[in-house]
């Protein structure tokens, strides 16, 4: 390394994506030059200027701009702050032989930003690393691959990147009703003639061309890859009716795959977000040739996670997606990201039925269809994958995190797999957002350097290798659950999720009758105690809803908890740390002066300074307390029991902190406020102000149930 010139380690690199060599990158003062590899023949091409939108996750233009900062830094000690303010912390090391000498490298983890890690040897940069869900990308000085995270791809039991990719182009595949779906096929180039191949199927609503570069890399590793637009999207025929057709269309597509001359009859599916709903729905078809599923951050069934979350009418999380799908056959990601449509204006617009016309100037087909089904009927039943959980046979690998906005759907999936004891199910839960494995800090919450992992896509590939190729890599023999505990910032494993070693513990609500706001007298106690008062009350006005972020994020709820329409129950200061890990729930005894209403419950961690960091929450509509298919209006003033799911966590409350549980009736960025009338919400009935009561007596012991470790 001592002989390596500064010009070499700051200018010329080899680029790998998901372990696949993608060519050479060279930085000059005026440009980034890329000598690509021909994807089919794997021929090294000549240098050309890198396109502005090159399709790589590695931020190559950012790396070029920051070259002077990287070069000027002294890569030593435990922390390095660059001239541009970026903070790097010492992480792991690799030792291997390079050019006949034993070399030890140092990996530096980027903090407070999307991970772009750096590998140094003797204080000189030899690699940049961008972990991500689609395949870790690494820019590395030639010869130094063995002292970077690229070693994750060198497992002899892992499918190696040894083929080119033959893109067969697009077919229009007919479904059972005659609608044809645009479908691309990528085959490994270089396999022996007549070779039968296992297939990985992706079905997307976001245009199959958007991520095709990532999906093709499975073909580099010996898989046939089938990449399809779902009906009504991009180049597929038909009308988009979200959720409704995905089970049958997936099954019909698998039928087509296994009839192809290149298919060996083994099909796996990968999907994330809405694509995760697709693969879960596909699994409930029970198709015998579906042998493996990887399901990341999956959207849940409509009444659990999306359209009618908890029976409510979902607001911004639903609107942003639906409006983005409704402007045309291709997704408008500026709408999806809240850039060209204001989230605040969208959720405040009325009438609800006509919000699309006001926001994008046209009606939305999905929005109109949903409005025509205000109650849980056969339409919704067909969209609820957990209604058919007994049909799931394929081993499923479920991946999500504590800050995934669709974690309610992930929990629905896991409950379904557990209920029907689906063999070889596996779950991996990290301190991750809906875009997992991205960063080590979120808002004011920081995790360990290992919160971002280098084997994310490797484990996905191991799953397919095991169940599609029959590789005895042992992944199914590893612990069923892997999860990250925030607070202690460590990975743990268990033979189940919720961890089998966790103890379900009831924390009871109590007060002197004035639990209103964090200034009130609400308490949260272990074990039922004689209470000073039997209930707490607050006034819920639908026209003055709570305006928290609506995101599954560690938001500080402190200012919201000053509202008198939020009941706040707080534990004593903890003398010892408490770790909660698993699926949560609460049992509320409540009454309302209305004939319907909503309940919003939240668990938070309160630090000594009074900051109340949201960990988990959920919302439910009262009329569905006896089941989605058994709606029943309330009798005003009558006490009812509600058993409410709360999204999963793994979190350590440190010594000196307090647990907090709150109850209110609105969160306008999650759901349109309940008018308390019991009437069709899409018809915008005149809101009614109601008085809500939460009971905590011997007869009505409201409590939150937490799975506690140790």
């Amino acid at each position: 390394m001592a002989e390596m010139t500064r010009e070499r380690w700051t200018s010329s690199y080899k680029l790998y994506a998901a372990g696949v060599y993608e060519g050479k990158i060279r930085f000059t003062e005026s440009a980034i030059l890329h000598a690509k590899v021909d994807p089919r023949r794997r021929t090294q091409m000549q240098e050309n200027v890198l396109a502005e939108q090159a399709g790589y996750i590695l931020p190559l233009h950012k790396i070029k701009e920051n070259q002077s900062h990287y070069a000027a830094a002294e890569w030593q000690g435990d922390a390095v702050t660059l001239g541009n303010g970026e903070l790097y912390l010492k992480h792991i090391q690799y030792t291997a032989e390079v050019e006949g000498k034993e070399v030890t490298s140092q990996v530096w983890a980027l903090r407070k930003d999307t991970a772009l890690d750096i590998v140094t040897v003797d204080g000189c940069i030899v690699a940049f690393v961008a972990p991500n869900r689609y395949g870790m990308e690494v820019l590395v000085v030639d010869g130094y691959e063995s002292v970077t995270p690229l070693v994750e791809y060198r497992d002899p039991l892992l499918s190696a990147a040894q083929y080119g990719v033959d893109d067969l182009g697009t077919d229009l595949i007919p479904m059972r009703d005659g609608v044809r779906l645009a479908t691309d096929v990528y085959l490994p180039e270089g396999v022996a003639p007549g070779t039968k191949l296992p297939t990985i199927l992706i079905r997307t609503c976001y245009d199959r061309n958007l991520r095709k570069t990532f999906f093709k890399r499975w073909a580099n590793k010996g898989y046939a890859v089938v990449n399809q637009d779902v009906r009504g999207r991009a180049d597929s025929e038909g009308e988009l009716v979200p959720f409704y057709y995905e089970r049958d269309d997936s099954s019909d597509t698998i039928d087509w795959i296994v009839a192809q001359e290149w298919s060996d009859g083994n099909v796996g599916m990968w999907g994330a977000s809405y694509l995760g709903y697709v693969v879960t729905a596909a699994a409930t078809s029970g198709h015998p040739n579906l042998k493996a599923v990887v399901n990341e951050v999956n959207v849940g069934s409509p009444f659990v996670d999306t359209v009618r979350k908890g029976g409510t009418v979902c607001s911004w999380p639903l609107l942003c997606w639906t409006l983005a799908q409704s402007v045309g056959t291709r997704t408008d990601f500026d709408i999806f990201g809240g850039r060209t449509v204001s989230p605040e204006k969208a959720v405040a617009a009325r009438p609800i039925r006509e919000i699309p016309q006001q926001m994008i100037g046209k009606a939305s087909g999905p929005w109109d269809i949903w409005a025509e089904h205000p109650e849980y009927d056969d339409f919704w039943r067909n969209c609820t994958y957990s209604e058919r959980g007994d049909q799931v046979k394929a081993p499923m690998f479920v991946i999500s995190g504590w800050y995934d906005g669709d974690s309610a759907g992930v929990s629905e999936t896991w409950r379904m797999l557990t209920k029907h004891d689906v063999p070889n199910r596996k779950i991996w839960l990290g301190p991750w957002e809906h875009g997992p494995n991205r960063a080590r800090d979120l808002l004011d919450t920081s995790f360990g350097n290992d919160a971002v992992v280098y084997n994310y896509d490797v484990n996905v590939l191991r799953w397919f290798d095991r169940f599609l190729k029959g590789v005895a890599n042992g992944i199914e023999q590893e612990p069923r659950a892997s999860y990250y505990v925030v607070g202690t910032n460590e990975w743990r494993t268990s033979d189940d999720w919720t961890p089998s070693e966790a103890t379900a513990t009831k924390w009871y609500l109590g007060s002197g009758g004035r639990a209103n706001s964090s200034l009130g007298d609400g308490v949260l106690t272990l074990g039922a105690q004689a209470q000073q008062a039997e209930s707490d009350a607050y006034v819920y006005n639908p026209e003055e809803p709570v305006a928290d972020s609506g995101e599954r994020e560690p938001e500080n709820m402190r200012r919201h908890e000053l509202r008198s329409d939020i009941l706040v129950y707080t534990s004593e200061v903890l003398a010892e740390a408490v770790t909660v890990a698993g699926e949560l729930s609460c049992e509320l005894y409540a009454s309302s002066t209305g004939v319907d209403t909503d309940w919003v419950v939240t668990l938070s961690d309160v630090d000594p300074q009074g900051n109340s960091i949201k960990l988990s929450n959920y919302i439910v509509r009262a009329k569905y307390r006896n089941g989605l298919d058994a709606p029943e209006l309330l009798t005003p003033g009558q006490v009812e029991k509600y058993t409410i799911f709360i999204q999963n966590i793994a979190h350590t409350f440190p010594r000196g902190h307090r647990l907090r549980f709150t109850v209110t009736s609105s969160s306008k960025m999650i759901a349109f406020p309940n008018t308390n009338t019991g009437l069709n919400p899409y018809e915008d009935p005149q809101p009614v102000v109601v008085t809500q009561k939460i009971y905590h007596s011997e007869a009505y012991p409201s409590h939150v149930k937490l799975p506690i470790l140790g």
Side-chain angles (χ1 to χ4, degrees), residues 310-376:
T312 69
V313 179
C314 197
S315 56
W316 182 244
L318 172 66
L319 270 171
C320 67
W321 186 86
T322 308
L323 298 177
Q325 304 297 327
S326 299
V327 292
T329 59
R330 286 172 168 81
T331 306
D332 186 331
F333 287 97
D334 285 331
I335 293 177
F336 202 176
R339 291 182 287 275
T340 52
V341 170
S342 163
E344 291 75 16
K345 289 182 179 179
V347 302
R350 295 295 184 276
I352 289 175
R353 183 81 185 250
E354 296 178 8
I355 291 176
Q357 288 90 327
Q358 295 182 45
M359 294 298 109
I360 61 173
K362 61 182 294 187
S364 161
W367 198 260
D368 287 343
I369 291 170
W370 296 332
E372 292 165 6
H373 297 272
E375 295 295 348
Y376 191 79

Side-chain angles (χ1 to χ4, degrees), residues 452-519:
V452 170
V453 300
Y454 298 136
N455 63 349
Y456 189 97
D457 64 299
V458 166
N459 278 331
V460 170
L461 182 57
R462 290 178 68 217
W463 194 257
F464 288 136
D465 282 351
R466 173 65 187 88
F467 294 108
L468 297 183
K469 290 186 176 181
V471 177
N473 57 26
I475 191 169
E476 82 283 8
Q477 297 168 6
E478 296 169 2
R480 176 168 285 165
S482 297
Y483 62 97
Y484 193 88
V485 182
V486 177
T488 52
N489 289 347
E490 60 182 346
W491 286 99
R492 294 190 183 184
T493 60
S494 177
D495 59 7
D496 208 352
W497 182 259
T498 295
S500 55
E501 57 271 25
T503 301
T505 308
K506 296 178 179 179
W507 293 69
Y508 290 85
L509 282 54
S511 77
R514 293 177 293 101
N516 309 75
S517 86
S518 56
L519 304 177

Side-chain angles (χ1 to χ4, degrees), residues 128 154 198 270 276 285 395 401 411 421 429 452 526 530 539 593 703:
F128 295 88
R154 295 190 173 183
W270 176 92
S285 73
S411 290
D421 196 22
L429 299 165
V452 170
L526 265 175
V539 174
T593 57
H703 61 270

Side-chain angles (χ1 to χ4, degrees), residues 485-489 492 507 524 569-582 584 602-608 611-616 647 649-661 704-709:
V485 182
V486 177
T488 52
N489 289 347
R492 294 190 183 184
W507 293 69
L524 194 63
Y569 302 93
T570 310
S571 75
E572 294 289 337
V573 172
L574 296 174
E576 301 293 341
V578 172
T579 298
V580 176
L584 319 178
T602 303
L603 180 70
S604 298
D605 181 336
V606 182
D607 69 17
N611 297 302
S612 181
I613 306 304
K614 178 174 65 180
L615 303 178
S616 183
Q647 298 172 109
I649 63 170
H651 179 85
T652 295
F653 294 82
R655 178 181 178 183
H657 284 219
R658 294 176 291 164
L659 285 73
R660 176 167 289 171
F661 183 73
V704 56
K705 187 182 294 184
L706 305 179
I708 294 181
L709 295 177

Side-chain angles (χ1 to χ4, degrees), residues 38 82 148 193 203 262 368 404 474 482 499 508 633 651 672:
D38 176 74
L82 303 189
T148 76
R203 305 188 59 250
W262 40 259
D368 287 343
D404 172 17
S482 297
Y508 290 85
L633 294 179
H651 179 85
F672 293 103

